[in-house]
Amino acid sequence: MASIEEVYNLWANLDFQKIVDDSIKENESVIIDVQREQMRSGVAADGEMIGQYSGSELSKAYQAIKNSLGRQSPAPSGYVNLFNEEDFQRGIKLEYAKDFIMPISSDSKEGELVERYGERIYGLTNERLAVVNQNNILPIIQKKLKDALKV
């Protein structure tokens, strides 16, 4: 076990941002899975529903086709879930910037969907983010801090 002076020196030289960034990157697949699940449920980052189908006959036919192909949605009937042939959700990845991390999709429909439903389709709700932080990211941060401080 390190002495108080050693822990102090280790703490002074600790790159906390790197520990946080590494912990998030280690959980990238979890974050992406939760983002996909949230979208499939029809929920945007603000906790509101992404959108609602128009209710037109064409819209109803589209929903019926999706259901017949086994693409039922956990979203309430008539609500958008951004899941048709899986391409959009399969293309989700995390984009890292200096001050934030943003899910994006590499699918060709990404621009059209963002234009139609807004940037709010990306990002976890506060509740889902809290669960990911508590269950996945914070335990890794704690372990990395203990290891770095030799305690």
Side-chain angles (χ1 to χ4, degrees), residues 59-130:
S59 179
K60 290 176 186 174
Y62 173 72
Q63 290 177 64
I65 290 169
K66 281 176 65 171
N67 290 341
S68 72
L69 294 173
R71 297 187 185 125
Q72 290 90 350
S73 169
S77 180
Y79 284 90
V80 173
N81 68 357
L82 303 176
F83 184 85
N84 183 19
E85 296 173 6
E86 292 187 65
D87 295 338
F88 178 74
Q89 290 186 14
R90 195 177 314 128
I92 291 176
K93 60 185 179 180
L94 297 183
E95 182 175 90
Y96 295 88
K98 183 179 180 190
D99 296 327
F100 67 91
I101 298 166
M102 180 72 163
I104 60 167
S105 179
S106 59
D107 183 61
S108 61
K109 295 178 291 296
E110 194 264 351
E112 177 186 335
L113 293 171
V114 168
E115 186 175 315
R116 182 177 297 157
Y117 301 112
E119 290 284 341
R120 60 191 270 285
I121 62 175
Y122 291 123
L124 302 180
T125 62
N126 290 337
E127 295 80 13
R128 284 180 172 91
L129 185 57

Side-chain angles (χ1 to χ4, degrees), residues 3-149:
S3 70
I4 292 175
E5 182 179 350
E6 289 171 323
V7 170
Y8 174 81
N9 289 332
L10 290 168
W11 182 261
N13 295 312
L14 190 68
D15 187 350
F16 189 73
Q17 188 61 53
K18 180 173 177 9
I19 289 174
V20 170
D21 291 346
D22 289 349
S23 300
I24 291 169
K25 286 178 182 170
E26 286 180 34
N27 281 284
E28 187 169 302
S29 65
V30 171
I31 296 166
I32 290 170
D33 287 345
V34 173
Q35 176 70 75
R36 288 177 180 148
E37 180 274 326
Q38 178 177 295
M39 286 179 171
R40 291 274 318 222
S41 298
V43 178
D46 58 9
E48 300 295 322
M49 299 307 288
I50 293 171
Q52 194 167 12
Y53 290 114
S54 67
S56 70
E57 291 306 312
L58 179 61
S59 179
K60 290 176 186 174
Y62 173 72
Q63 290 177 64
I65 290 169
K66 281 176 65 171
N67 290 341
S68 72
L69 294 173
R71 297 187 185 125
Q72 290 90 350
S73 169
S77 180
Y79 284 90
V80 173
N81 68 357
L82 303 176
F83 184 85
N84 183 19
E85 296 173 6
E86 292 187 65
D87 295 338
F88 178 74
Q89 290 186 14
R90 195 177 314 128
I92 291 176
K93 60 185 179 180
L94 297 183
E95 182 175 90
Y96 295 88
K98 183 179 180 190
D99 296 327
F100 67 91
I101 298 166
M102 180 72 163
I104 60 167
S105 179
S106 59
D107 183 61
S108 61
K109 295 178 291 296
E110 194 264 351
E112 177 186 335
L113 293 171
V114 168
E115 186 175 315
R116 182 177 297 157
Y117 301 112
E119 290 284 341
R120 60 191 270 285
I121 62 175
Y122 291 123
L124 302 180
T125 62
N126 290 337
E127 295 80 13
R128 284 180 172 91
L129 185 57
V131 169
V132 169
N133 283 338
Q134 185 67 36
N135 295 341
N136 302 91
I137 296 172
L138 289 177
I140 292 175
I141 290 173
Q142 290 170 338
K143 181 181 181 330
K144 287 180 180 294
L145 284 173
K146 286 180 182 178
D147 292 347
L149 298 174

